[in-house]
Amino acid sequence: MNAIERDRALSRNPNLRRCRIAVVVFIAGLVLSGLTAFPLFAELKLICGALGVDPAAAPASYAGVRFWLATVQAGLARAYAESPWLAYGTDWLAFAHVAIALFFIGPLIDPARNRWPLVAGLMACALVIPVALIAGAVRGIPLYWRLIDCSFGVFGAIPLAYCLYASFRLED
């Protein structure tokens, strides 16, 4: 079988189709989570408004998630007023998400020949957990928020693990 015939046969393979869907889901998650870092303060104001968190109120007047959101909103408002260039860091965070997503184009095209980004992505997903738990504790991030951050690693690993598994089945 020549390369063209192999590609035609492979393109009809349901494992390839499902693997590509998994990679598209992962890429979309990376890009969407990255793009939300651009309007961080505006998004926070919107969420706080929806939850009834008044930006003029002291964060201590709230409890739980509302306390945390009020604390972050007050901190960002103060930081952006005094040092607006700090937002540039979240701009680069957003860019990094998009740049990382580009590495998954290879597995999207041919997962059997481009497994290394899948493996690297799974390792990065695993590393999200200790970074969130350790760095979050050092920075005073509440445990429930660190667990939300950990969920990005867990949920990100699902499509990558599936695609890695499926990529081996494509060789059969």
Side-chain angles (χ1 to χ4, degrees):
M1 178 182 302
N2 67 32
I4 294 173
E5 291 170 340
R6 178 194 170 276
D7 287 345
R8 283 187 186 144
L10 193 57
S11 68
R12 291 188 297 270
N13 186 322
N15 284 328
L16 177 64
R17 201 168 25 257
R18 287 190 292 267
C19 186
R20 284 180 172 164
I21 290 169
V23 173
V24 165
V25 166
F26 185 78
I27 289 172
L30 266 175
V31 170
L32 289 174
S33 66
L35 293 180
T36 62
F38 279 118
L40 187 61
F41 190 58
E43 291 169 337
L44 188 59
K45 284 172 55 175
L46 186 69
I47 291 168
C48 286
L51 294 177
V53 175
D54 181 3
S61 63
Y62 298 104
V65 172
R66 292 175 55 192
F67 166 77
W68 178 243
L69 292 173
T71 301
V72 173
Q73 182 179 33
L76 277 181
R78 195 170 45 254
Y80 285 6
E82 295 171 13
S83 307
W85 44 265
L86 286 174
Y88 191 54
T90 56
D91 295 343
W92 280 107
L93 171 70
F95 170 77
H97 277 76
V98 174
I100 292 166
L102 295 174
F103 286 92
F104 292 91
I105 292 174
L108 180 64
I109 294 168
D110 190 344
R113 292 184 185 162
N114 295 287
R115 289 190 186 111
W116 71 266
L118 301 173
V119 173
L122 281 166
M123 292 188 318
C125 286
L127 289 172
V128 165
I129 295 169
V131 169
L133 294 176
I134 295 167
V138 168
R139 304 284 186 220
I141 308 299
L143 179 61
Y144 60 83
W145 202 266
R146 287 182 273 152
L147 293 176
I148 291 170
D149 290 339
C150 288
S151 73
F152 284 95
V154 173
F155 289 119
I158 293 170
L160 293 180
Y162 174 79
C163 189
L164 185 62
Y165 167 77
S167 74
F168 286 103
R169 297 194 62 201
L170 293 171
E171 292 178 339
D172 297 339

